[in-house]
Amino acid sequence: MDLIADAKRIEPEIIRTRRTLHQHPELAYHEVETSKLVADRLEFLGIKVRRNVGGTGVLGVLKGAKAGRVVALRADMDGLPVQETSDVRFRSKVDGVMHACGHDTHIAMLLGAARLLSERRENLYGTVKFLFQPAEEHGGRGGAMPMIEDGVMKDPKVDFVFCLHIEATRKSGEFGVREGAIAAAPDTFKVRILGKGGHGSAPHETVDPIYVAAHVILALQGVSARMIDPVRPFVITVGAVHSGTKENIIPDVATLDGTIRTLDEATRKLAKRRVEEVAKGVCRTFGASAEVEFEKDAYPVTVNDPKTTEKVVAVLKRIPETRVRRVDAMLGGEDFSRFLQKAPGTFYFLGSRNPEKGCIYPNHSSKFKVDEDVLKFGAASLAMLAFEFGNPRGSSREH
Ligand SMILES: [Zn+2]
Ligand SMILES: [Zn+2]
């Protein structure tokens, strides 16, 4: 009945699943074979399955024998457009696509947790919902929003929601947890600078949008340096500049693509307003005009419920051979935030950095490599959270 011992027993299966997925990564919204593997495996475990949820998502529902709360566990399933250059034997077989963020490990760990829980159905309180979501890396509507619209957080209503992310820069076997904001709202913007084209030898007859763009890029950093409270994390990056065709032609238009990252809604709102004002103001100064557009449906800030997360820390501390660390927030985005807007819960990390095994490359690197020895602990942690939070009396030590 020892859950950790059982997690160790099924470790080979977890690793095998992970490697199969790693060899066959699929991009956002195209997780067809991946979700088939997931759904088939859940059905094999006797878990009720709904396929094609919000597109390529899968929902599994496991009812415990005892009455209790509804706990949802989430794994994301998409790979990235990266050509793998790692030295593992089970390298990606798909050209230009790689599980470079470790979502293959998330699926394998959650399927492991599903097995551990389905074998304990008799002692399980409440209901566990397994959310296998598409398109976490996509941004915008992502994969969480379509699944929520498809009803996964209702009927029965989810009381708590959890997910774990593998983190290649954290020490192997170390859990990273934080109460409150843990990941940023990633707001993408586009500035279209409208000038007036002409001959490169006669700039006075034109409004040069490239020259103006240079000023806008510099001025936008002033939003960070001079307009946002320095104790509020904020970053602005212009990651793409497009304009022009030839050295002696002044073009009509220049476009800038950028992103801002914030950890609270007030700063987010203020920053978006300032970006627009600065871009338009600078353009006006030089006789150009600007259209500023923020992407609709950007991911919200990922906020861990403090009370729930405190309890998560206590649960994670029970897992031997691992450690729990309080961590700083990151300015990356996560659409798990959308589930957290529907129910209290926790987004936490599991470290997999192990220099002895060459696991030293960060998430999204083409050399990204995971210390697979930690996967069993990840699977166990998810199962333990379902057990713990499903129990209406709080602490079930039966596992
Ligand atoms: Zn990622
Ligand atoms: Zn990820």
Side-chain angles (χ1 to χ4, degrees):
M1 198 50 209
D2 182 355
L3 202 143
I4 310 274
D6 274 357
K8 288 182 175 168
R9 183 173 55 78
I10 67 166
E11 179 181 28
E13 177 185 293
I14 297 172
I15 292 176
R16 214 165 38 238
T17 305
R18 187 262 160 157
R19 292 184 176 185
T20 302
L21 293 163
H22 194 82
Q23 286 184 310
H24 304 96
E26 294 174 297
L27 289 173
Y29 301 122
H30 296 88
E31 306 90 338
V32 177
E33 295 304 320
T34 306
S35 53
K36 187 176 178 309
L37 181 150
V38 166
D40 291 350
R41 194 70 63 87
L42 291 174
E43 268 171 5
F44 176 77
L45 294 172
I47 293 170
K48 215 175 105 199
V49 169
R50 232 180 92 202
R51 295 171 193 248
N52 306 317
V53 180
T56 45
V58 177
L59 169 68
V61 181
L62 175 68
K63 273 207 165 80
K66 307 177 188 180
R69 300 201 183 97
V70 181
V71 179
L73 304 173
R74 175 271 213 171
D76 40 14
M77 302 193 289
D78 52 329
L80 282 163
V82 172
Q83 182 69 44
E84 178 157 13
T85 60
S86 85
D87 60 3
V88 297
R89 276 184 294 108
F90 49 93
R91 204 175 300 157
S92 169
K93 290 184 171 170
V94 186
D95 224 25
V97 185
M98 176 187 178
H99 268 299
C101 200
H103 297 182
D104 52 344
T105 68
H106 301 169
I107 301 167
M109 287 188 281
L110 188 52
L111 284 173
R115 177 162 170 196
L116 295 171
L117 290 164
S118 68
E119 288 170 355
R120 288 172 167 68
R121 197 182 296 231
E122 293 310 311
N123 297 303
L124 183 66
Y125 289 91
T127 300
V128 185
K129 285 181 162 183
F130 301 94
L131 311 174
F132 288 89
Q133 80 151 73
E136 193 288 322
E137 299 282 1
H138 189 269
R141 282 176 54 75
M145 186 186 256
M147 285 191 84
I148 292 168
E149 285 171 359
D150 212 344
V152 296
M153 297 297 276
K154 299 185 295 195
D155 307 319
K157 187 181 169 308
V158 171
D159 296 307
F160 297 99
V161 61
F162 302 103
C163 94
L164 112 84
H165 203 301
I166 205 91
E167 194 184 7
T169 45
R170 177 169 305 286
K171 235 163 91 195
S172 200
E174 185 175 292
F175 288 106
V177 190
R178 179 187 174 83
E179 286 115 10
I182 185 161
D187 285 295
T188 301
F189 64 88
K190 188 183 271 299
V191 180
R192 254 171 74 83
I193 298 165
L194 310 171
K196 199 175 113 207
H199 203 285
S201 65
H204 58 291
E205 287 171 4
T206 73
V207 175
D208 182 353
I210 294 180
Y211 171 76
V212 178
H215 280 276
V216 171
I217 293 167
L218 292 178
L220 283 177
Q221 288 305 327
V223 176
S224 166
R226 283 297 174 265
M227 297 175 189
I228 300 292
D229 184 343
V231 302
R232 307 253 169 210
F234 173 74
V235 71
I236 177 163
T237 291
V238 174
V241 182
H242 294 286
S243 187
T245 53
K246 196 175 180 308
E247 86 289 345
N248 63 352
I249 303 170
I250 291 172
D252 287 315
V253 181
T255 59
L256 309 178
D257 294 291
T259 181
I260 61 170
R261 306 294 169 107
T262 49
L263 284 179
D264 67 273
E265 284 301 325
T267 307
R268 183 184 192 188
K269 237 173 100 185
L270 174 67
K272 284 170 83 170
R273 206 175 72 224
R274 291 296 191 226
V275 165
E276 181 163 358
E277 286 168 0
V278 167
K280 287 189 167 166
V282 171
C283 286
R284 205 163 36 241
T285 302
F286 293 106
S289 63
E291 293 166 357
V292 181
E293 220 180 284
F294 278 88
E295 182 185 28
K296 269 198 337 225
D297 298 325
Y299 297 174
V301 181
T302 304
V303 184
N304 285 338
D305 179 60
K307 231 178 86 197
T308 308
T309 304
E310 210 178 291
K311 204 166 145 188
V312 167
V313 169
V315 174
L316 295 179
K317 279 187 173 162
R318 286 188 217 147
I319 305 178
E321 301 167 60
T322 65
R323 293 160 305 281
V324 184
R325 287 258 147 70
R326 289 281 195 313
V327 299
D328 288 333
M330 60 157 188
L331 291 181
E334 235 309 328
D335 77 340
F336 184 67
S337 51
R338 294 223 159 97
F339 294 119
L340 285 174
Q341 288 184 325
K342 299 289 172 191
T346 304
F347 174 80
Y348 62 104
F349 293 105
L350 174 58
S352 71
R353 178 186 158 85
N354 189 335
E356 278 168 27
K357 297 177 187 168
C359 306
I360 52 170
Y361 301 99
N363 295 54
H364 288 210
S365 158
S366 67
K367 290 190 163 70
F368 174 73
K369 192 171 156 187
V370 165
D371 179 2
E372 292 175 322
D373 287 353
V374 306
L375 302 185
K376 56 182 174 296
F377 298 124
S381 72
L382 290 163
M384 286 165 76
L385 291 176
F387 249 105
E388 190 68 30
F389 284 85
N391 186 341
R393 282 188 303 281
S395 188
S396 70
R397 282 269 191 160
E398 292 178 47
H399 49 286

